[in-house]
């Protein structure tokens, strides 16, 4: 029997979503990206991401510490590009400045520590993670896929994130501006 190749798709996939890496999804090399667990040219992923953002009914962009803390020379231009992208597609910006575990009740208060709960309670249909540490993004994206139908996008600083439905690696301000221009063209 031939087993169908695993695709990273919007959920809900179940209480414990399968880890994409364990299902055979591998990270792309430089110049490539991921869409639904398949390695594609970055240009194709940019098109898919722009299409999803242009057609989103309720989008969110979640910038994390790597962007918000302005820790490197490229953080400020990238943050400006993210703000332009949010404006172009009408996305809400939900900062995830500090997602270290705290003693809270995630059902009672929506917290950046629990992006899956934030997405679920706000009915976001598209969510972009940018500037979030890989280990946190992987877990959060897997939880989102497990319990929501949100289309997740990761604009990663280095390696792409295999748990996102669409993921770019080495996403800089220039790449984010290119997505913004495609969103504007699709909405025009």
């Amino acid at each position: 029997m031939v087993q169908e190749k695993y695709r990273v798709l919007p959920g809900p996939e179940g209480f414990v979503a399968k880890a994409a890496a364990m299902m055979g999804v591998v990270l792309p090399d430089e110049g490539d990206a991921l869409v639904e667990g398949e390695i594609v040219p970055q240009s194709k992923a940019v098109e898919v991401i722009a299409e999803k953002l242009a057609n989103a009914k309720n989008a969110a962009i979640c910038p994390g510490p790597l962007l918000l803390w302005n820790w490197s020379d490229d953080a400020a231009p990238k943050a400006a590009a993210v703000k332009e992208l949010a404006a172009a597609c009408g996305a809400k910006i939900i900062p995830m400045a500090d997602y270290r575990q705290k003693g809270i009740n995630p059902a009672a208060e929506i917290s950046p520590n629990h992006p899956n709960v934030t997405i679920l309670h706000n009915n976001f249909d598209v969510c972009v993670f940018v500037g979030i540490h890989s280990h946190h993004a992987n877990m959060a994206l897997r939880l989102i896929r497990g319990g929501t139908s949100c289309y997740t996008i990761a604009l990663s600083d280095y390696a792409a994130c295999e748990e996102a439905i669409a993921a770019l690696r080495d996403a800089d301000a220039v790449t984010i501006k290119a997505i913004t221009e495609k969103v504007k063209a699709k909405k025009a």
Side-chain angles (χ1 to χ4, degrees):
M1 180 189 333
V2 177
Q3 186 175 12
E4 186 176 323
K5 184 170 170 88
Y6 184 76
R7 293 178 57 210
V8 181
L9 298 170
E13 190 171 314
F15 183 67
V16 180
K18 297 172 180 140
M22 293 184 74
M23 298 305 295
V25 178
V26 296
L27 296 175
D29 291 328
E30 192 173 335
D32 289 331
L34 288 171
V35 174
E36 297 181 5
E38 292 285 329
I39 295 175
V40 299
Q42 182 170 319
S43 59
K44 178 176 180 180
V46 166
E47 285 292 334
V48 169
I49 291 167
E51 183 74 28
K52 289 295 181 181
L53 288 170
N55 293 317
K57 292 177 178 63
N58 188 18
I61 296 179
C62 300
L66 296 174
L67 191 66
L68 297 172
W69 293 345
N70 197 19
W71 69 283
S72 67
D73 292 339
D74 63 336
K78 191 171 179 179
V82 167
K83 281 181 70 175
E84 280 182 52
L85 177 59
C89 64
K92 293 172 181 70
I93 297 177
I94 301 176
M96 298 205 316
D98 183 7
Y99 35 64
R100 291 172 294 175
Q101 185 59 40
K102 297 173 185 68
I104 63 155
N105 177 355
E109 65 181 283
I110 294 175
S111 165
N113 300 319
H114 302 279
N116 57 314
V117 176
T118 302
I119 287 166
L120 181 64
H121 284 280
N122 287 286
N123 296 315
F124 292 122
D125 60 336
V126 177
C127 179
V128 178
F129 276 29
V130 58
I132 297 177
H133 294 88
S134 297
H135 59 282
H136 183 75
N138 274 352
M139 180 56 75
L141 289 164
R142 191 167 159 210
L143 289 169
I144 292 164
R145 193 174 77 246
T148 77
S149 62
C150 184
Y151 191 96
T152 57
I153 298 165
L155 303 179
S156 304
D157 286 342
Y158 305 107
C161 182
E162 71 275 8
E163 297 295 343
I165 299 166
L168 297 181
R169 57 169 288 153
D170 306 317
D172 57 9
V174 173
T175 305
I176 295 168
K177 286 180 182 183
I179 296 168
T180 302
E181 292 310 311
K182 288 185 181 298
V183 168
K184 289 178 181 176
K186 289 176 186 303
K187 285 186 147 281

